[in-house]
Amino acid sequence: MTNKKSFTLNKYFSLTKGSIMESLSFRFSMLITVIGNLIYLIVIYYLWKAIYASSSSEVVNGMTFHDTMIYLVLALALFNFMECFIVWSIGRNFQTGQIALELIKPMDYQVFCFFANSGQYLISFFTTFLPTLIIVYLITKGGFALSINLIYFILSVILAIVINFCVDFFVGVICFYTESVWGVNIMKEVVVALLSGASIPLAFFPDRLRTIVNFLPFQAIYNSPLKILIDKSLETKDYITIIGFQIFWVAIMILISRIFWNVSKRIITVNGG
């Protein structure tokens, strides 16, 4: 039994190794991403600078300009780190008929998709998020705490990756019905970026909307780990509450995506078959 489990894990870990090699082979695209991010950061810097300049107070919704920029820079780094293009991968496999070959492999398809992209998470962490975190910390001279919250932050990020993957996988399977990827994925990107706090801190949402968003899974993707990392007022019980909320949504999203996949794979047609 132990050997069988070890063999199964080796199959999936080999996908991780392959994903790492694939990610390293596209170094130029990483450079383009860095340039695009710099342009984005310049735009949001002047945008939020104008917003705070028009305010009569240096603190808006409990956040200073300094706090907001730290949040948005780290949110962008976290977004790039967790972006894995699962929707495009599933949609492309469906349109080309590759999905039929994937389904006959002795692997669970959803788990296969996760490990096939897991190497990208590792590469993005060391090339995008970690350098950004260190640079922001040094530039702001300790603008956020790095103590026990770092352990909770790492756990929160792992849970956020699973939730984000399940959302992407669910949307990818929707392509079986729409037979189109672009529109569905764009809608998903907009919804997740907005409701997760990746583009606008949730503190700036109207009270009623923020209350609703706090009960949705999206804020558990970016806002939760960023809150653990940045908010110096949180205590251990607050960290545990945030992690517990994420664990709840991990279980729910895995269940929903599994059910939707098991139902949807029955309607797959390849070349009219």
Side-chain angles (χ1 to χ4, degrees), residues 158-224:
I158 294 173
L159 295 172
I161 288 174
V162 177
I163 296 172
N164 187 55
F165 169 80
C166 288
V167 171
D168 272 23
F169 185 83
F170 184 92
V171 174
V173 175
I174 291 178
C175 297
F176 293 175
Y177 299 90
T178 64
E179 299 186 2
S180 175
V181 180
W182 189 84
V184 175
N185 189 60
I186 291 298
M187 182 175 66
K188 184 269 299 182
E189 294 282 356
V190 171
V191 170
V192 172
L194 179 63
L195 300 184
S196 67
S199 56
I200 302 175
L202 297 188
F204 289 87
F205 281 33
D207 292 339
R208 185 171 297 180
L209 178 58
R210 186 167 65 248
T211 300
I212 296 174
V213 170
N214 283 334
F215 286 100
L216 298 177
F218 306 110
Q219 69 94 14
I221 300 175
Y222 298 109
N223 186 68
S224 290

Side-chain angles (χ1 to χ4, degrees), residues 44-253:
I44 65 170
Y45 173 82
Y46 285 104
L47 172 63
W48 284 96
K49 191 176 181 63
I51 292 174
Y52 275 87
S54 64
S55 174
S56 58
S57 173
E58 293 184 356
V59 180
V60 180
N61 293 330
M63 298 181 70
T64 64
F65 175 72
H66 182 261
D67 297 332
T68 302
M69 287 310 302
I70 290 177
Y71 181 99
L72 291 173
V73 170
L74 293 180
L76 176 62
L78 202 58
F79 179 85
N80 289 326
F81 159 45
M82 293 170 56
E83 183 65 36
C84 58
F85 306 104
I86 291 294
V87 178
W88 292 106
S89 177
I90 295 176
R92 183 171 60 251
N93 287 344
F94 175 76
Q95 292 173 342
T96 61
Q98 179 69 23
I99 187 72
L101 298 178
E102 304 289 1
L103 290 178
I104 63 175
K105 291 180 179 179
M107 298 181 183
D108 181 273
Y109 182 69
Q110 188 174 13
V111 181
F112 166 80
C113 287
F114 180 82
F115 279 92
N117 290 273
S118 59
Q120 184 175 328
Y121 293 132
L122 294 174
I123 295 299
S124 296
F125 175 79
F126 288 107
T127 59
T128 302
F129 182 76
L130 187 58
T132 303
L133 179 67
I134 294 173
I135 291 172
V136 172
Y137 186 78
L138 294 176
I139 290 178
T140 60
K141 298 179 180 179
F144 49 92
L146 290 180
S147 56
I148 187 65
N149 67 324
L150 193 58
I151 297 176
Y152 289 102
F153 171 74
I154 294 172
L155 177 57
S156 180
V157 167
I158 294 173
L159 295 172
I161 288 174
V162 177
I163 296 172
N164 187 55
F165 169 80
C166 288
V167 171
D168 272 23
F169 185 83
F170 184 92
V171 174
V173 175
I174 291 178
C175 297
F176 293 175
Y177 299 90
T178 64
E179 299 186 2
S180 175
V181 180
W182 189 84
V184 175
N185 189 60
I186 291 298
M187 182 175 66
K188 184 269 299 182
E189 294 282 356
V190 171
V191 170
V192 172
L194 179 63
L195 300 184
S196 67
S199 56
I200 302 175
L202 297 188
F204 289 87
F205 281 33
D207 292 339
R208 185 171 297 180
L209 178 58
R210 186 167 65 248
T211 300
I212 296 174
V213 170
N214 283 334
F215 286 100
L216 298 177
F218 306 110
Q219 69 94 14
I221 300 175
Y222 298 109
N223 186 68
S224 290
L226 287 173
K227 190 173 183 180
I228 290 175
L229 184 64
I230 297 173
D231 195 337
K232 297 179 181 179
S233 66
L234 298 183
E235 300 178 355
T236 301
K237 62 179 181 179
D238 300 312
Y239 298 145
I240 294 175
T241 299
I242 294 173
I243 296 296
F245 181 80
Q246 286 184 290
I247 292 175
F248 168 79
W249 275 113
V250 164
I252 294 297
M253 292 308 300

